[in-house]
């Protein structure tokens, strides 16, 4: 099996793709019996330091319905200078530029190691990146100060030719004009009035010049900056101005009386931001960055009223249909998100407040446009500051790790159809022969728009095997899938990345072992989890859990080895062995459990789950636990209450939190300040080790996780206790007082109980 | 609102159906008895429309009778407009009409009268013509003869006119016109009636036409009561003295008389001036007299420096002492009883307990011992500190704020107006009004500019530079900032200066030519609302708000509406937006002062409504001149310019040299107004209540006020120049003992943010004798009242009807006097001072000074003789000069539309008069005409004014004329060159540049004296007058001559004497 693991890893590194099945069942019927759908996690812009982009355009299949890109899987007739499309079998002439090719003189796209290749398109205008800051001013003084500093800092990180704009909001919305000398100008809008895009553009005076520009745009892209020069300016020109402007930003001056929330017009502010970009830079990479410190309290998109005595909606309210603003607000933000997506812009939300800020309602803004969602307690925390700074991090080439306005197109060979995608994308509604009727996730299309993406953005793409059982595929036949991602690189180039992969077909009846062995349980767990989370957005929590359980039971029935009605005989092969455990933790995860989470938190967790790559997703599902002790080097340990020992330091990474937990004894030692005594230097080192490791994780992670340093009995220890498998609880006190771990006060079932049940159900012939 | 004014009253509104009846009653007292006494007049108008023409056409003999009737009805006639004035028409017209027929006989009268008596004869003749007209009795024989005589006599008179032989040609009339006009007359009546017909002229008769009728005017102008003489004699009698207000019902000196007024228990006439100081004791009496009972209140009038300012009474938390029932404030009219424990309210007679803190023993006279220590016990006017109960939301008010809102559209930037304003504001803001005791002004200031969008400026003191916030949502305007819009000038001075420096440049490349208006007011109001303070908006606006926004207006000026029933539309606002806006403004204590710089029609009627209703002021500078070198002719009327028309750039007179390089030719006027408006005494967020003693009450209010109910007069602000005219009506009988008491209380916020009450008390006497009433009348206040009520009525009624009603009421008042107070025989015998008798056959007594027998008496037919008594025109002394003022009112461009008067100008003047105080309205309707050439260079006093008539001018003279809005310096063709040299520093008249709007600063005594004189004339006037230099016989003279109100108007409107005749005729009709 090591070979498969290597294969999978290799493929992931090269193509950024992980399939749930690496050998594909050759018939539709068999495929459905596999329980876990044929699907893959695709990281379209996976960083490939070894992959220099080629400076020409891809060669396309000439069949209008196909247009697949020439790839290493194509058969090439070097003499006739012909190539056969491996998707539609169309024979195509090479373009004249390829006249010199031969077996020894192949273009890169034909070499097998270039199954993923990136083209740079030289045509077309290059438009600068656009960053539009939308800043809440209803903040506490120190919060605002911190935010201002972060924003000022960010100016230095932007590329000098990037266009920036500034909108501030509180009770009113102000669009700041950046080009003025001597006096700072801003256009002010009422925060309660819903304005159409046209009205906004009229009021900003954008409509008049926009008309001629629209026609003139293609030939004269240079005129662009002038159109909107007042509100969006090259950073190099107005750096000082904007820095001063940000420095002078005041808190929203309107008085907030006792017992009221400040009036915050987030809905209108966002609407204006969207309208502004829509009118000036449609289909150009742009980032709307919303910084908000509380829930929208007025106007369209309001989430809660300004009466403090009425709290913001909770899951409880939502279940009881008691969240009176939710539907309307969600509709407002959905409308905005769709417009934004249609324009190819993306929206980031940086929400920092102790209470909820309405992420539940606003989530679609980020989810549909590929923007970031960051949630923190305050702008004055390193969590926000560093996360925000990381937005502007650069890759090995010195380019920003962000791309805009991407279109992902998927092509499949005939035996496959596309069922859908789950990730930060919207459907482009391109129907085609390879689009399945059955939808999984966002379906009914072969193309999706991803307005903002970074090297880790990952989509789950689901397929359906449509080959009929009675039309077997010849031995050695391979199915192929091509992913074509066109996007605007952060260097403002237009690029196309093409990944073509192929997998073997196998007859599920005769070659089940092959298929089984090629199961990627990690990918499968994440893909199933995405499906589950996707469902959870629209369905009741218990239904999703039941569905997940049924799928798991069916999978165990299909691939487990057991004697009927004999739970003890149940075995799973190595390639499946971890899968039930993933499912166990998934069921307990905040993605599916809303208990103890606010609606905002749930939205936040789900947002990240739907866009992170496989490794991160797995961490989210099943946090990693490391143990540090004097007994040996740090080691990963079971995410189990039995791992909580008095003389250990634990480091847990849940993706969203990094928890360092000092066992009881260690904590006492630390209190006794042994670490300061030279003779106990090793203790000092022990204490330091998890901190260093945590630091390492913190450095790499986006968004910055919450960093929690706690100890046995500490209040923050709950972060750890809620995650570990409750193998010891107050209900099974057999280990009480022993050194084997700490009991968790919970009624949740432990993994043991879960597995016992699973086995029982799997072997039962009843279902 | 509309139901209370003229409109409501039968006269205006119902005049159509039955003019005879209603007109005289004037609605104030719909008194049927009166009607009964005038059967002829009462006749239904029915016949009129049809009858009038018919009546005119038939041969002469029956004519007069018909005519008379006709005349009576004419005003009401729904018939063809030209005949409307058939009634009055006879005055001027009949005379001329008769001439032809009379001509044959004319030598005979001619022969009789001695030259000396010419004037008197003329008068007589004219009156004659009325006589018959007035009464059905008038025989055909009548006046025919006298008339022709007149012209011939006249001509040698004051007029300098060529051909005496053709007596018929008016002296001033171009021969052609005369020639054309008369022959037909001789031939028959037809043409006559049509044209110049009516007396006061609603008719569009051209100057030439007017001249036609003129010749017949035979009354010597010197024989009729002279306003100048009245003014001068009052000045001589009472000027410079102390006038103590210690007696109930005493008639104060005229507004034109300077004297020191000492408050001894009644409010100074500067604050309250009544139309009469003796009320008739019953409503019947009042109805009979038809004299309006009204008071002109000017609660914030500025007393001269030598009079004590109002005392401030502070009762601390107890607040003012008030009657429990009627809530009247403690005042000298409260009678303390029971040893001082209780007091009886003078207004409602309720007996109240004296609050313990206020108790004081009484002396042997029943007066409190502290009578002279407490202003509220001994003075007519004083102020109270208001307690929190008198404040909005029971919170002490914030100090007011001024917001300057500048229209920065293309034309204003180009004309340099914006720069001018910004430069001026820098110095002006140092002069913000403050409480006397305060070092600095508490008034905060804010700045907003606008064209089609609004720009708010944050000028908070801690900002390095101002911030501009643009609000484009003009459909639903709001205030984008809370803090920093309104700031203390002292604190934010540098930011404000920075802003004012930048504004002109900021919009330099703006090409926006349209503008909004209602959203601007709205924004200012919202800003004040947000800041929770009252305040004043200074809006500098220049164009019709055509941009898409609430209150959008379209150009609806239509000269074709003149003299039609729809003319009133021109005075009404185009949309209701402005009225509701004004209502909101008043509700939030937001006063709007509007500076208009129109270059074309801007619909003053609509825009002006906001300043009017919010207690603001409207200033209008038509064709405000851009920089001197790009100057265009100001008005088409003033096109004529000397060929050497070089413009003298004038230096700044007022010491601010800031904008001198870019000085506007009209800018001094504007800057002066702006400065005055910022600095003037003003109270904000005011509510006025007028309480009266039992038996009568205030029923109607005229002025810049807003009323939500019938008693509370709400004003966003009230300044020293604004007056409210209040009309009173009887509820019941008034007691002659207790008199009629008026208490006017104004609750307001001072510029320092203090809530205060200003109380004015006035006691009037009552009498059951009409003679007492007439004795105590105050002509200036009467005119003020008539003007306001008539100008209010133009919104709802055709101006013609209003003019008729005015004439009728004048006649009625005089007729009532004539009938009840002065018997004709008595009149001649008594020769009571102050009674002017103007009679056709008897005598003309003016002031008892001049009596003239009219020789033609014996020529009169017998019947006429018997009618003699009714033919005397007797004017009560107090109303002696009412006719000349009324005539001027009737000729004002508001009531007499002419195609060449811009509609905006009419609306503007209408609005001005609505808020005028008595002194201003007096000047406005009888301009001051001062001879300059006869000045004694050493004297510093004003020369004696002369009457406003062309006949008083001389070619060799220089005259200064001022009416409160405009000032004219008229240069006769042969004015002394040394005077010209002295004033203008040019060698001759031809070199004088008439473009200048300010006199050059020449060191000569003439110049210095003239400029000083102009300063005196200008002093205390709310509007800075625009100076126009007029050379005799050059075109701009027309505007000047328009103000010679005793003359026949150039475009219509009768002369003083014609009007007298007309009134007399009316009276005769009424009496018979």
């Amino acid at each position: 099996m090591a070979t498969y693991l290597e294969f999978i890893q290799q493929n992931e590194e090269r193509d950024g793709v992980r399939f749930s099945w690496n050998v594909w069942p050759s018939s539709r019927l068999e495929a459905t019996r596999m329980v876990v759908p044929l699907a893959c996690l695709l990281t379209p812009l996976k960083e490939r330091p070894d992959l220099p982009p080629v400076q020409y355009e891809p060669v396309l299949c000439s069949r209008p319905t196909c247009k697949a890109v020439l790839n290493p899987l194509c058969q090439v007739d070097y003499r006739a200078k012909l190539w056969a499309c491996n998707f539609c079998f169309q024979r195509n002439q090479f373009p004249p530029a390829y006249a010199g090719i031969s077996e020894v003189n192949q273009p890169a796209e034909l070499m097998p190691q270039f199954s993923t290749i990136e083209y740079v398109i030289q045509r077309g205008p290059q438009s600068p990146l656009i960053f539009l800051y939308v800043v809440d001013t209803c903040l506490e003084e120190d919060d605002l100060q911190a935010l201002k500093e972060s924003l000022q800092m960010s100016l230095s990180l932007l590329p000098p030719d990037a266009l920036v704009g500034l909108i501030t909001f509180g009770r009113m919305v102000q669009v700041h004009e950046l080009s003025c000398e001597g006096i700072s100008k801003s256009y002010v809008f009422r925060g309660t009035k819903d304005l159409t895009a046209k009205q906004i553009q009229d009021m900003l005076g954008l409509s008049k010049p926009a008309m001629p520009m629209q026609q003139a745009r293609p030939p004269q892209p240079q005129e662009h900056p002038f159109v909107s020069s007042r509100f969006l300016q090259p950073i190099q020109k107005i750096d000082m101005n904007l820095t001063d402007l940000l420095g002078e930003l005041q808190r929203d001056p309107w008085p907030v009386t006792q017992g009221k929330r400040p009036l915050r017009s987030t809905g209108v502010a966002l609407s204006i931001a969207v309208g502004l970009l829509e009118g000036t830079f449609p289909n150009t990479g742009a980032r709307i960055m919303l910084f908000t410190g509380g829930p929208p309290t007025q106007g369209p998109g309001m989430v809660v009223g300004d009466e403090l005595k009425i709290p913001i909606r909770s899951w409880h309210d939502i279940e009881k249909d008691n969240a009176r603003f939710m539907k309307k607000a969600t509709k407002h933000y959905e409308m905005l998100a769709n417009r934004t997506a249609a324009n190819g812009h993306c929206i980031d939300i940086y929400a920092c407040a102790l209470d909820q800020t309405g992420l539940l309602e606003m989530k679609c803004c980020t989810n549909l446009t590929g923007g970031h969602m960051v949630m923190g307690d305050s702008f004055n925390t390193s969590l926000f500051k560093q996360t925000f700074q990381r937005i502007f991090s650069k890759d090995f080439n010195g380019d920003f790790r962000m791309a805009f306005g991407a279109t992902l197109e998927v092509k499949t060979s005939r035996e496959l159809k596309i069922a859908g995608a789950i990730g930060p994308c919207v459907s482009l509604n391109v129907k085609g022969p390879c689009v399945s009727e059955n939808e999984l996730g966002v379906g009914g299309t072969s193309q999706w728009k991803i307005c903002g993406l970074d090297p880790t953005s990952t989509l789950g793409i689901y397929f359906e095997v449509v080959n009929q059982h009675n039309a077997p595929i010849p031995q050695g036949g391979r199915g192929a899938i091509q992913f074509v991602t066109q996007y605007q690189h952060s260097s403002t180039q237009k690029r196309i990345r093409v990944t073509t992969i192929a997998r073997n077909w196998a007859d599920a009846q005769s070659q089940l072992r092959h298929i089984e062995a090629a199961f990627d349980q990690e990918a499968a767990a994440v893909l199933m989890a995405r499906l589950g989370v996707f469902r959870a957005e629209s369905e009741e929590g218990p239904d999703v859990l039941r569905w997940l359980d049924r799928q798991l039971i069916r999978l165990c029935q299909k691939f487990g080895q057991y004697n009927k009605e004999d739970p003890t005989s149940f075995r799973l092969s190595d390639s499946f062995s971890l899968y039930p455990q993933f499912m166990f933790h998934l069921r307990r995860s905040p993605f599916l459990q809303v208990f103890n989470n606010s609606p905002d938190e749930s939205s936040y967790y789900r947002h990240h789950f739907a866009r992170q790559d496989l490794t991160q997703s797995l961490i989210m599902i099943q946090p990693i636990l490391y143990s540090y002790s004097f007994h040996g080097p740090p080691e990963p340990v079971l995410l189990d209450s039995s791992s909580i020992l008095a003389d250990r330091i634990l480091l847990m990474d849940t993706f969203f939190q990094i928890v360092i937990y000092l066992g009881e004894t260690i904590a006492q030692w630390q209190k006794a300040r042994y670490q300061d005594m030279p003779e106990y230097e090793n203790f000092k080192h022990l204490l330091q080790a998890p901190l260093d490791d945590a630091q390492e994780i913190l450095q790499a992670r986006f968004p910055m996780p919450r960093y929690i340093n706690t100890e046995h009995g500490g209040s923050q220890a709950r972060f750890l206790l809620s995650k570990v498998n409750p193998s010891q609880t107050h209900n099974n006190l057999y280990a009480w007082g022993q050194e084997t771990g700490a009991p968790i006060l919970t009624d949740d079932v432990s993994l043991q109980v879960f597995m016992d049940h699973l086995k029982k159900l799997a072997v039962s012939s009843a279902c | 609102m509309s139901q209370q004014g003229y409109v409501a009253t039968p006269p205006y509104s119902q005049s159509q159906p039955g003019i005879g009846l209603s007109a005289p009653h004037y609605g104030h007292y719909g008194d049927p008895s009166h009607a009964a006494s005038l059967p002829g007049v009462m006749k239904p108008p029915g016949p009129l429309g049809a009858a009038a023409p018919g009546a005119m056409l038939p041969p002469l003999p029956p004519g007069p009778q018909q005519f008379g009737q006709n005349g009576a009805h004419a005003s009401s006639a729904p018939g063809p407009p030209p005949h409307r004035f058939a009634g009055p028409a006879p005055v001027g017209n009949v005379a001329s009409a008769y001439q032809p027929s009379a001509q044959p006989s004319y030598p005979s009268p001619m022969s009789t009268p001695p030259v000396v008596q010419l004037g008197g004869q003329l008068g007589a003749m004219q009156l004659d013509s009325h006589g018959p007209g007035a009464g059905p009795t008038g025989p055909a024989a009548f006046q025919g003869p006298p008339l022709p005589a007149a012209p011939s006599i006249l001509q040698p008179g004051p007029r300098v006119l060529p051909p005496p032989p053709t007596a018929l040609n008016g002296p001033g009339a171009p021969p052609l016109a005369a020639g054309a006009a008369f022959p037909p007359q001789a031939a028959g009546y037809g043409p006559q009636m049509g044209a110049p017909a009516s007396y006061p002229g609603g008719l569009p008769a051209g100057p030439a036409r007017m001249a036609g009728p003129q010749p017949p005017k035979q009354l010597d102008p010197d024989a009729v009561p002279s306003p100048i003489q009245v003014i001068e004699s009052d000045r001589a009698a009472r000027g410079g003295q102390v006038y103590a207000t210690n007696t109930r019902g005493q008639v104060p000196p005229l507004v034109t008389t300077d004297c020191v007024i000492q408050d001894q228990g009644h409010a100074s006439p500067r604050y309250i001036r009544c139309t009469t100081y003796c009320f008739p004791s019953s409503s019947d009496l009042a109805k009979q007299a038809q004299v309006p009972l009204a008071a002109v209140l000017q609660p914030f009038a500025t007393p001269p420096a030598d009079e004590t300012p109002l005392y401030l009474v502070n009762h601390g938390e107890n607040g003012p002492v008030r009657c429990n029932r009627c809530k009247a404030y403690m005042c000298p009219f409260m009678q303390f009883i029971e040893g001082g424990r209780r007091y009886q309210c003078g207004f409602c007679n309720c007996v109240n307990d004296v609050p313990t803190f206020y108790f004081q023993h009484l002396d042997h006279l029943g007066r409190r011992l502290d009578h002279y220590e407490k202003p509220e016990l001994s003075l007519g006017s004083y102020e109270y500190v208001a307690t929190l109960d008198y404040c909005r939301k029971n919170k002490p008010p914030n100090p007011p704020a001024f917001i300057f809102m500048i229209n920065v559209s293309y034309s204003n930037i180009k004309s340099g107006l914006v720069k001018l304003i910004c430069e001026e504001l820098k110095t002006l803001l140092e002069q913000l009004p403050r409480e006397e005791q305060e070092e600095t002004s508490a008034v905060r200031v804010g700045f907003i500019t606008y064209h089609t969008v609004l720009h708010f400026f944050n000028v908070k003191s801690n900002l390095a530079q101002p911030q501009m916030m643009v609000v484009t949502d003009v459909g639903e305007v709001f205030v984008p900032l809370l803090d920093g819009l309104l700031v203390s000038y002292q604190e934010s001075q540098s930011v404000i200066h920075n802003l004012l420096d930048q504004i002109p440049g900021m919009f330099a490349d703006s090409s926006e030519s349209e503008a909004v208006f209602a959203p601007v007011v709205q924004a200012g109001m919202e800003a004040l609302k947000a800041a929770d303070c009252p305040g004043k908006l200074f809006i500098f606006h220049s164009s019709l708000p055509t941009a898409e926004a609430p209150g959008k207006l379209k150009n609806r000026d239509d000269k074709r509406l003149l003299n039609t029933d729809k003319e009133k539309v021109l005075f009404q606002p185009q949309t209701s937006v402005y009225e509701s806006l004004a209502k909101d403004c008043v509700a939030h204590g937001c006063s709007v002062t509007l500076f208009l710089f129109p270059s074309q029609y801007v619909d003053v009627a609509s825009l002006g409504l906001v300043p009017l209703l919010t207690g603001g002021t409207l200033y209008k500078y038509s064709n405000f001149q851009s920089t001197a070198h790009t100057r265009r002719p100001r008005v088409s009327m003033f096109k004529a310019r000397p060929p050497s028309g070089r413009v003298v750039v004038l230096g700044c007179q007022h010491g601010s040299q800031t904008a001198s390089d870019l000085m506007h030719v009209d800018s001094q006027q504007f800057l002066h107004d702006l400065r005055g408006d910022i600095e003037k005494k003003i109270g904000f967020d005011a509510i006025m209540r007028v309480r009266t003693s039992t038996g009568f009450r205030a029923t109607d209010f005229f002025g810049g006020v807003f009323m939500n109910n019938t008693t509370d007069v709400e004003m966003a602000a009230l300044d020293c120049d604004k007056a409210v005219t209040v009309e009173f009506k009887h509820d019941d009988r008034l007691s002659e003992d207790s008199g009629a008491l008026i208490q006017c209380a104004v609750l307001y916020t001072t510029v320092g943010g203090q809530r205060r009450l200003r109380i004015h008390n006035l006691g009037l006497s009552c009498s059951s004798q009409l003679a007492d009433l007439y004795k105590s009348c105050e002509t200036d206040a009467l005119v003020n009242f008539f003007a306001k009520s008539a100008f209010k009525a133009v919104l709802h009624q055709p101006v013609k009807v209003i003019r008729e009603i005015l004439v009728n009421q004048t006649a009625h008042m005089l007729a009532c006097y004539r009938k009840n107070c002065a018997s004709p025989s008595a009149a001649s015998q008594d020769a009571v001072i102050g009674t002017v008798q103007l009679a056709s056959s008897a005598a003309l007594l003016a002031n008892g000074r001049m009596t003239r027998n009219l020789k033609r008496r014996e020529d009169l037919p017998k019947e006429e003789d018997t009618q003699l008594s009714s033919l005397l025109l007797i004017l009560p002394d107090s109303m002696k000069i009412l006719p000349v003022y009324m005539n001027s009112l009737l000729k004002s461009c508001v009531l007499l539309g002419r195609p060449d008067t811009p509609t905006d100008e009419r609306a503007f003047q209408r609005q001005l008069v609505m808020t005028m105080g008595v002194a201003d309205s007096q000047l406005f309707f009888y301009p001051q005409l001062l001879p300059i050439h006869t000045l004694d260079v050493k004297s510093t006093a004003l020369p004696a004014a002369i009457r406003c008539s062309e006949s008083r001018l001389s070619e060799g003279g220089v005259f200064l004329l001022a009416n409160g809005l405009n000032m004219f310096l008229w240069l006769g063709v042969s004015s002394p060159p040394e005077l010209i040299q002295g004033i203008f520093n040019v060698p001759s008249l031809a070199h004088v540049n008439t473009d200048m709007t300010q006199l050059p600063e020449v060191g000569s005594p003439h110049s210095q004296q003239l400029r000083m004189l102009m300063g005196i004339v200008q002093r205390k006037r709310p509007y800075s007058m625009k100076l126009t230099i007029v050379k005799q016989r050059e075109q701009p003279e027309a505007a000047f001559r328009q103000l010679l109100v005793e003359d026949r108007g150039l475009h219509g409107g009768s002369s003083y004497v014609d009007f007298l005749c007309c009134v007399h005729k009316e009276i005769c009709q009424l009496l018979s």
Side-chain angles (χ1 to χ4, degrees), chain A residues 463-640:
Chain A
F463 299 95
E464 189 184 20
V465 178
V466 292
N467 196 41
Q468 292 304 318
H469 192 60
N470 49 14
I473 296 164
Q475 188 70 27
R478 303 213 299 171
I481 299 176
Q482 190 171 60
F483 303 101
V484 181
T485 313
Q486 306 190 36
Y487 67 99
Q488 181 187 332
H489 190 255
S490 60
S491 65
T492 76
Q493 287 170 336
K494 283 238 186 310
R495 292 191 180 188
I496 300 177
R497 185 182 280 217
V498 180
T499 298
T500 317
I501 58 99
R503 294 291 186 270
N504 290 326
W505 292 110
D507 180 26
Q509 279 167 334
S510 54
Q511 296 166 299
L512 189 61
R513 291 299 129 203
H514 280 288
I515 296 175
E516 202 180 310
F519 181 63
D520 183 344
Q521 54 184 341
E522 293 177 339
V526 174
L527 286 161
M528 285 304 279
R530 282 207 179 192
L531 275 179
V533 171
F534 186 80
R535 281 172 170 245
E537 297 278 7
S538 50
E539 290 175 30
E540 297 273 324
D543 293 347
V544 178
L545 291 182
R546 260 196 297 279
W547 172 81
L548 216 54
D549 290 347
R550 210 165 42 243
Q551 299 298 312
L552 177 60
I553 295 164
R554 281 180 56 206
L555 188 80
C556 291
Q557 281 175 334
K558 174 81 180 169
F559 294 101
Q561 294 164 338
Y562 54 89
N563 301 326
K564 281 221 184 302
E565 309 295 345
D566 179 6
T568 54
S569 65
F570 186 86
R571 293 285 179 281
L572 274 173
S573 67
D574 282 355
S575 60
F576 287 88
S577 57
L578 293 173
Y579 187 80
Q581 193 182 329
F582 288 141
M583 289 299 121
F584 169 77
H585 286 291
L586 176 63
R587 291 175 94 263
R588 287 166 52 87
S589 74
F591 310 113
L592 298 180
Q593 293 289 351
V594 297
F595 178 76
N596 241 344
N597 284 314
S598 67
D600 273 11
E601 285 171 316
S602 300
S603 304
Y604 175 64
Y605 295 142
R606 286 172 182 172
H607 164 82
H608 284 287
F609 187 68
R611 59 177 293 147
Q612 292 294 341
D613 63 14
L614 181 131
T615 320
Q616 307 296 336
S617 299
L618 274 184
I619 294 174
M620 290 186 218
I621 293 173
Q622 180 176 343
I624 299 170
L625 194 62
Y626 293 97
S627 173
Y628 299 77
S629 73
F630 288 123
H631 306 295
E635 52 174 4
V637 293
L638 283 178
L639 184 63
D640 193 293

Side-chain angles (χ1 to χ4, degrees), chain A residues 625 627 637-645 648 650 728 740-742:
Chain A
L625 194 62
S627 173
V637 293
L638 283 178
L639 184 63
D640 193 293
S641 56
S642 62
S643 304
I644 305 175
L645 296 172
R648 305 284 162 91
L650 295 177
Q728 289 136 304
T740 49

Side-chain angles (χ1 to χ4, degrees), chain A residues 191-300:
Chain A
T192 50
K193 199 171 173 184
D194 202 0
L195 299 164
T196 64
K198 169 105 181 31
Q199 281 173 310
I200 291 169
Q201 285 154 23
D202 283 350
M203 286 177 172
L204 290 176
L206 301 174
S207 35
K208 277 178 216 162
M211 285 312 286
M213 287 308 158
Q214 215 117 40
Q215 294 146 4
R217 183 151 11 93
Q220 289 165 295
Q222 285 80 3
E223 290 201 33
H224 243 308
F226 298 110
V227 180
S228 52
S229 56
R230 288 183 304 156
F231 304 109
L232 296 166
Q233 287 279 305
I235 180 75
Q236 54 196 1
K237 219 173 105 191
I238 45 104
D239 192 6
M240 292 304 290
N241 260 357
L242 188 54
T243 306
D244 292 348
L245 188 59
L246 287 169
E248 283 197 352
L249 272 192
Q250 300 289 318
R251 291 179 61 195
D252 195 52
W254 301 89
V256 180
T257 44
Q258 192 84 37
K260 299 267 189 184
R261 296 188 174 88
L263 290 174
R264 191 180 268 115
S265 330
T266 321
V268 170
L270 212 47
S271 168
I272 289 170
V274 171
L276 171 61
L277 287 179
E278 193 171 57
T280 48
F281 290 96
N283 298 313
T284 306
R287 200 164 205 111
I288 296 169
M289 307 171 99
L290 171 68
F291 302 87
T292 181
T297 45
Q298 69 167 2

Side-chain angles (χ1 to χ4, degrees), chain B residues 799-831:
Chain B
V799 290
K800 255 173 292 185
V801 176
I802 294 165
R803 282 197 307 260
E804 283 158 16
I805 292 164
L806 285 176
V807 176
N808 280 322
Q809 186 161 11
T810 310
H812 248 97
M813 287 170 12
L814 299 177
C816 176
Y817 177 75
R818 176 76 178 72
K819 188 173 170 197
N820 298 299
C821 308
S823 72
S825 52
S828 52
Q829 306 158 0
D830 289 350

